[in-house]
Amino acid sequence: MADQPALQNIDRRRVLRNLSAVWAAAAALPSFAGLSAEALLAAGKSIHQHVARKAAPASRTLKVFNSHQNRTVTALCELIIPQTTTPGAAAARVNEFIDIYLSSLNPSKRLEFLEGLQWIDLRSHELFKKAFVEASAEQQTELLTRLSIVNSAETATGQSFFKLIKSLTAFGYYTSKIGIEEELNFQGWVEYKGCTHPEHQG
Amino acid sequence: MAIKSYDAIVIGSGITGGWAAKELTEEGLDVLLLEAGRNIDPNQDYSEHKMPYDVPYRGLTNVRFMEENYPIQRQCYACREYNHHLFVNDRENPYTTPADKPYLFFRGRHVGGRSIMWGRQVYRWSDLDFLANEKEGIGIPWPVTYKQIEPWYDHVETFIGISGMKEGLPHLPDGQFLKPMALSCGERILRRRIAEKWRGQRVVTIGRTAILTEDHKGRAACHYCGPCEQGCITRSYFSTLNSTLPAAQATGRLTLRPHSVVRALMYDKDSNRVVGAYVVDGVTRQELELKAKIVFLCASTLESTRILLNSANPRYPNGLANSSGVLGYYLMDHLYGSGASGEYPGLEEYSDLGRRPNGIYIPRFQNLRGQDAKYLRGYGFQGGSHRAGHLGGFQLPSLGSPLPPGFGASLKEAMKAPGGWSMMLAGFGECLPDKRNKVEINKNVTDKWGIPVLHITADWYENDQAMYGEIREVAAEMLEAAGCKSVRTFGEAKPAPPGKGIHEMGTARMGNDPKTSVLNKWNQAHDIRNLFITDGSFMTSSACQNPSITYMAFTARAANYAVEQMKRGEL
């Protein structure tokens, strides 16, 4: 570690300082002992995101979902686009997008989604004897896997709901600030240069 | 309080009104420019740099709100969550149609009009177009030739700045081009293969567009952010606000009055002249009488005709300047909505960065020398070839587009991969002038300002249907020739309702004979010498090219003619 460049040490100190400042907010942190500077920076970034979520203004008032529906949708979205090295659908508040989107639809279209959501809980009870949000991560993954595989044996209602929420989750995530800036790493507009390849010229 | 009398009133501040105001003020006239809608503040009203997360519905719009307030306008490709405030509220601006003949009337009422949301494609006409009606024995002949309009195309193109590639085609004359926008890989290959297969008889060229590719007259070159229909803070594409209005204002002779809804024109029977306009103030609803020596009607194809029909008086009981009886008739639009698309494999190692707000163009190749098709006239194609996905250039995902299989981290990773190349061609066909396509006043329905609205009757007929069907097949044939796979045609049933092409033309056509036309070759009313109409109403035939540049050229020509005539004491 002695030959680390000075800048990186400063960055690491800054991360550590920030970490100590937010210690209280971060409940289940891994031990930092023995981590490389890179791992520390990654951990720091993750904590920043965690804190940013905590510190962000209270969630927008929901227009369609009750709190149980909201938790179910949030869990489904995060399973579809999870946090990896970048934040997932829950951090991007895709559930809130789906809520406001549904609120703009005609009642029959909205009902289609809500009935699908209800189906998820019914099926979860059949399979695991508990509501979807109460099921373990493995069980949740199992249900979505049953719905997403080719030649799924699940009902048409279940399969079409999965397609719908997957589509809404992907759209909601990749149109969010997190999706565009952090995941797609959008850096700004680029000039259209088009084709400059001699092999495509006549 | 005495209200000042102006040299000229220009009604409408869209593409042609802006041009009339510029030319007339630059030639020394005091001009009052009346706009029915509100003022536009680019800082507030433009939204081209807004991200999806900057609007509540991520660009999908509040569907119920749009269905209630913009049921017609929302069917326009350019009407989006980001810019629906640039389209009229359909509840405030009704019109009627026969129950079985829908017509789509897309409108903007604000300073700049539809020049803010227009498609920006600019193609000159040639004598193939100006001689259309004579050749086919339909309608009435145009009173002008390409040679007479050519200098005015030069004039407007030089001022507004258009980009394109010279092709040397006699039937689609080259213009005063800035450097062309680039073709994508797929488009370059298409250009070569189509040229080879049809031995130069079919040409693929980059869209000719009123977007700057170089800095031009104080306006910046395009930076490829993409959604021009939402405004342009760098003034890179032509609109009244970006180009002609500042020039008119710089003369110090322009008075712009927004919220000025023209109910009718004022007519003096002793002199047989228009003397001004009856204007309803859009905010106070107070009626004003605004006066001028000449009037330029540039309110848009159908709105100008509506004003004339609503200006009927004992001398002109069927509408002002309508002794011919053809005012309101021969409405045209471009045949639109059919084509083909396909996948374009083999280019996976090539990227396609940036958002080019322009496509490709395939000029008309049917019936160029004699009659070789089963219908009269012809069509051109617009389209393009791009790579889907999020690759650097940043494309907005669309709801419901195909996704990689599964869910979870693997889906997230797969979403990062760029998609495949595809190609699309859509036809724009010439519509024949037909007396059955017409507008009248519906006295039983009024708009928000108490003004009787239009009853629009328009449909497609045999020639259109024959052309429409062929467009699909020919598009598919060319895509296959270029190497496209999984080619599928679209627009299977009837053509989209008239109006959807947003190229409404006619209803106050020009011609040499005052008995069969409303305007003479100078866009001047045969009946009333100091009345000019220079928006798309004057069109005697439709050709198949996007018409706006032709309106601009005729407007500039008419304005200069009017000033000459005034100087000679003829007006």
Side-chain angles (χ1 to χ4, degrees):
Chain A
M1 298 289 273
D3 57 0
Q4 293 268 332
L7 184 61
Q8 203 162 352
N9 284 330
I10 291 168
D11 276 356
R12 190 165 50 145
R13 277 200 298 278
R14 189 180 298 145
V15 169
L16 289 168
R17 188 169 63 242
N18 289 345
L19 286 180
S20 61
V22 299
W23 190 256
L29 283 175
S31 163
F32 292 103
L35 288 183
S36 69
E38 274 172 359
L40 264 176
L41 279 168
K45 199 174 173 195
S46 153
I47 288 164
H48 282 310
Q49 284 153 5
H50 182 79
V51 173
R53 283 203 297 282
K54 289 263 177 188
S59 295
R60 196 178 49 73
T61 312
L62 296 170
K63 290 169 181 270
V64 172
F65 297 147
N66 62 32
S67 93
H68 175 73
Q69 288 169 327
N70 188 45
R71 283 195 298 145
T72 311
V73 170
T74 306
L76 285 162
C77 291
E78 182 67 14
L79 282 160
I80 292 167
I81 309 256
Q83 168 146 2
T84 51
T85 51
T86 54
R93 295 184 171 186
V94 172
N95 56 310
E96 291 181 11
F97 158 70
I98 296 177
D99 179 77
I100 193 173
Y101 169 72
L102 292 177
S103 77
S104 81
L105 299 183
N106 289 315
S108 64
K109 296 290 287 179
R110 195 183 315 145
L111 203 61
E112 198 179 307
F113 183 95
L114 295 176
E115 282 173 353
L117 199 56
Q118 198 172 25
W119 182 94
I120 291 282
D121 263 346
L122 290 172
R123 191 72 181 114
S124 179
H125 269 289
E126 283 172 9
L127 292 168
F128 318 122
K129 310 280 179 271
K130 48 186 110 159
F132 186 77
V133 283
E134 313 298 336
S136 69
E138 290 73 22
Q139 289 170 329
Q140 290 177 341
T141 301
E142 185 197 326
L143 178 47
L144 287 204
T145 305
R146 283 166 172 268
L147 286 168
S148 66
I149 54 173
V150 183
N151 299 325
S152 165
E154 297 296 323
T155 64
T157 306
Q159 289 185 55
S160 66
F161 174 72
F162 176 73
K163 282 201 190 86
L164 179 59
I165 194 169
K166 179 178 165 181
S167 172
L168 285 168
T169 303
F171 181 84
Y173 181 74
Y174 292 102
T175 54
S176 72
K177 197 170 172 66
I178 281 175
I180 288 171
E181 290 183 4
E182 296 189 41
E183 176 65 7
L184 300 178
N185 197 25
F186 174 62
Q187 302 281 326
W189 315 116
V190 294
E191 188 185 343
Y192 188 79
K193 294 260 180 15
C195 175
T196 52
H197 315 106
E199 63 271 32
H200 297 151
Q201 183 65 297
Chain B
M1 187 184 78
I3 294 180
K4 175 180 171 180
S5 179
Y6 294 84
D7 292 330
I9 286 178
V10 175
I11 299 170
S13 65
I15 281 181
T16 59
W19 262 102
K22 172 190 174 301
E23 297 295 300
L24 295 172
T25 52
E26 287 183 346
E27 291 300 321
L29 268 53
D30 266 334
V31 173
L32 174 63
L33 177 58
L34 298 176
E35 166 51 51
R38 67 191 176 94
N39 212 345
I40 287 289
D41 173 2
N43 290 320
Q44 296 292 325
D45 292 307
Y46 288 179
S47 58
E48 75 275 20
H49 293 155
K50 276 194 179 175
M51 287 293 189
Y53 50 77
D54 292 325
V55 291
Y57 302 92
R58 306 277 174 90
L60 298 178
T61 74
N62 180 334
V63 177
R64 275 187 304 163
F65 171 79
M66 294 300 283
E67 281 174 352
E68 278 164 27
N69 295 286
Y70 299 84
I72 303 292
Q73 308 305 312
R74 71 192 287 265
Q75 298 177 62
C76 174
Y77 78 96
C79 180
R80 303 167 186 157
E81 181 176 3
Y82 304 89
N83 68 349
H84 67 271
H85 59 283
L86 298 176
F87 290 78
V88 298
N89 182 313
D90 289 314
R91 291 200 301 184
E92 297 175 352
N93 296 277
Y95 61 92
T96 59
T97 68
D100 61 339
K101 288 184 171 44
Y103 180 88
L104 296 172
F105 190 11
F106 300 139
R107 281 182 284 179
R109 275 193 160 188
H110 46 253
V111 173
R114 284 184 297 186
S115 75
I116 300 181
M117 312 89 84
W118 73 307
R120 310 165 303 283
Q121 294 287 300
V122 284
Y123 301 98
R124 290 186 178 203
W125 281 31
S126 71
D127 280 331
L128 178 71
D129 308 304
F130 289 117
L131 294 172
N133 290 359
E134 269 162 295
K135 172 178 177 283
E136 313 297 356
I138 50 174
I140 57 168
W142 277 89
V144 294
T145 61
Y146 176 65
K147 274 283 161 244
Q148 292 168 317
I149 306 304
E150 187 179 28
W152 296 100
Y153 278 124
D154 289 341
H155 178 71
V156 298
E157 288 171 354
T158 307
F159 184 74
I160 70 176
I162 67 171
S163 65
M165 204 186 290
K166 293 200 172 190
E167 300 288 358
L169 301 171
H171 62 288
L172 193 79
D174 294 328
Q176 301 293 329
F177 297 143
L178 305 176
K179 72 175 184 189
M181 287 189 179
L183 293 169
S184 71
C185 297
E187 291 160 353
R188 272 178 103 196
I189 298 169
L190 177 75
R191 176 178 165 90
R192 172 162 52 85
R193 293 196 180 151
I194 295 290
E196 283 165 5
K197 170 142 186 174
W198 281 279
R199 296 184 203 85
Q201 298 302 301
R202 300 185 187 183
V203 174
V204 176
T205 190
I206 184 71
R208 296 174 177 178
T209 182
I211 304 176
L212 302 180
T213 49
E214 303 160 34
D215 295 348
H216 183 75
K217 297 189 188 292
R219 297 160 48 209
C222 174
H223 58 283
Y224 295 91
C225 73
C228 300
E229 297 81 6
Q230 296 166 213
C232 186
I233 209 77
T234 57
R235 299 166 69 199
S236 304
Y237 72 82
F238 168 81
S239 71
T240 300
L241 282 181
N242 289 348
S243 175
T244 43
L245 191 61
Q249 284 172 324
T251 65
R253 288 186 281 273
L254 180 76
T255 304
L256 169 64
R257 195 179 194 285
H259 295 297
S260 302
V261 186
V262 173
R263 181 175 59 74
L265 299 186
M266 289 167 71
Y267 171 73
D268 175 60
K269 66 178 189 318
D270 296 334
S271 59
N272 187 34
R273 292 165 63 91
V274 285
V275 292
Y278 299 104
V279 173
V280 180
D281 186 292
V283 179
T284 65
R285 309 291 174 88
Q286 186 191 4
E287 183 149 323
L288 306 162
E289 295 183 2
L290 301 174
K291 294 187 174 176
K293 294 175 190 143
I294 63 170
V295 171
F296 265 68
L297 255 184
C298 301
S300 83
T301 290
L302 297 183
E303 291 285 14
S304 286
T305 295
R306 179 183 171 203
I307 289 170
L308 291 180
L309 291 170
N310 275 328
S311 305
N313 61 39
R315 167 73 179 80
Y316 296 103
N318 301 316
L320 196 63
N322 188 25
S323 67
S324 67
V326 300
L327 180 71
Y329 291 93
Y330 304 102
L331 171 63
M332 299 167 282
D333 184 23
H334 283 141
L335 190 62
Y336 170 66
S338 63
S341 63
E343 294 164 15
Y344 207 40
L347 291 171
E348 289 72 19
E349 63 185 285
Y350 299 99
S351 62
D352 184 37
L353 297 170
R355 303 177 84 195
R356 187 191 66 194
N358 186 19
I360 53 170
Y361 192 64
I362 301 179
R364 172 180 158 186
F365 48 79
Q366 320 82 24
N367 296 332
L368 292 186
R369 291 168 204 82
Q371 182 69 35
D372 53 32
K374 60 187 177 191
Y375 47 80
L376 302 178
R377 314 308 301 161
Y379 55 86
F381 283 107
Q382 296 184 25
S385 176
H386 291 289
R387 184 166 204 177
H390 307 308
L391 202 71
F394 179 70
Q395 290 190 332
L396 299 180
S398 53
L399 184 60
S401 57
L403 296 171
F407 63 95
S410 65
L411 171 67
K412 198 176 172 188
E413 191 55 36
M415 289 292 290
K416 281 191 190 176
W421 282 81
S422 64
M423 195 173 276
M424 186 278 288
L425 294 175
F428 279 80
E430 177 161 353
C431 166
L432 305 183
D434 192 306
K435 199 166 188 187
R436 288 172 286 184
N437 290 340
K438 61 182 178 180
V439 299
E440 302 150 286
I441 294 297
N442 183 340
K443 290 202 166 72
N444 302 317
V445 181
T446 55
D447 66 12
K448 186 184 174 185
W449 300 272
I451 301 170
V453 306
L454 287 177
H455 183 71
I456 307 172
T457 306
D459 206 348
W460 303 112
Y461 302 109
E462 301 84 280
N463 198 69
D464 311 308
Q465 291 282 7
M467 191 188 290
Y468 181 77
E470 187 190 288
I471 287 172
R472 294 193 295 263
E473 293 158 27
V474 172
E477 180 190 27
M478 286 198 288
L479 292 185
E480 271 156 10
C484 274
K485 303 293 176 215
S486 311
V487 172
R488 57 171 195 88
T489 58
F490 54 82
E492 298 301 337
K494 248 189 110 168
K500 188 148 194 184
I502 334 176
H503 294 163
E504 64 270 25
M505 288 169 270
T507 68
R509 69 184 180 188
M510 64 161 55
N512 281 324
D513 185 352
K515 291 193 189 69
T516 57
S517 56
V518 178
L519 304 172
N520 69 16
K521 64 180 176 181
W522 301 106
N523 293 73
Q524 180 181 29
H526 286 299
D527 290 340
I528 299 175
R529 295 184 57 78
N530 67 335
L531 171 63
F532 293 79
I533 309 174
T534 71
D535 55 39
S537 320
F538 74 83
M539 301 289 272
T540 305
S541 71
S542 75
C544 63
Q545 300 93 312
N546 307 51
S548 295
I549 193 77
T550 297
Y551 304 167
M552 294 190 222
F554 274 82
T555 302
R557 178 173 171 269
N560 283 271
Y561 171 80
V563 172
E564 251 175 51
Q565 293 293 300
M566 284 177 95
K567 284 180 183 161
R568 288 195 200 150
E570 300 280 333
L571 282 183

